[in-house]
Amino acid sequence: MNAQWTSQQMQALAAMNIPLWEKAPEPKGQYFYKLGSYHLVGEAQLPVELPQWFNDFCLCVGERPVAVKITELSDNCLNYDTWFDNLPTADFKKALWQRLSHA
């Protein structure tokens, strides 16, 4: 919610040497998860309710994703930003499987 200051409020705050409050922009961060020997990175947290295809992926790896703090990315790093926008296509699944099988 953005603050809507009236001119009287702004004058009163200025008279008292109080700066106007403004909401700071949210920092653009990254979230990191460890899933087996893989690191997942994205600009938003993983959804609480994971889609079935991702649950199947977790079963294949043998683990669930765990949030971690990471300092450097490994070769086994996968960006999941677009994974949950729509149902995965056959091309997406094929590319992911090839990447996983060569890791």
Side-chain angles (χ1 to χ4, degrees):
M1 180 173 123
N2 292 336
Q4 301 294 322
W5 301 105
T6 66
S7 61
Q8 291 174 334
Q9 290 171 323
M10 290 190 295
Q11 289 172 359
L13 290 171
M16 294 183 285
N17 251 355
I18 298 174
L20 292 178
W21 178 83
E22 293 179 9
K23 184 176 179 180
E26 291 186 24
K28 187 174 179 180
Q30 288 187 318
Y31 295 90
F32 301 97
Y33 296 89
K34 182 148 177 57
L35 180 63
S37 62
Y38 302 98
H39 286 104
L40 305 176
V41 60
E43 293 181 3
Q45 293 180 344
L46 286 175
V48 174
E49 193 68 34
L50 295 171
Q52 187 57 49
W53 73 266
F54 192 80
N55 284 329
D56 293 342
F57 175 54
C58 294
L59 285 172
C60 177
V61 173
E63 292 186 23
R64 301 270 306 160
V66 177
V68 294
K69 292 182 181 178
I70 193 166
T71 55
E72 68 180 57
L73 299 175
S74 70
D75 292 338
N76 289 340
C77 184
L78 304 170
N79 186 315
Y80 64 83
D81 281 332
T82 59
W83 287 12
F84 305 106
D85 294 340
N86 300 306
L87 286 174
T89 64
D91 291 337
F92 168 79
K93 291 178 186 177
K94 183 178 178 181
L96 180 60
W97 182 251
Q98 286 178 341
R99 174 124 190 234
L100 297 175
S101 63
H102 293 299

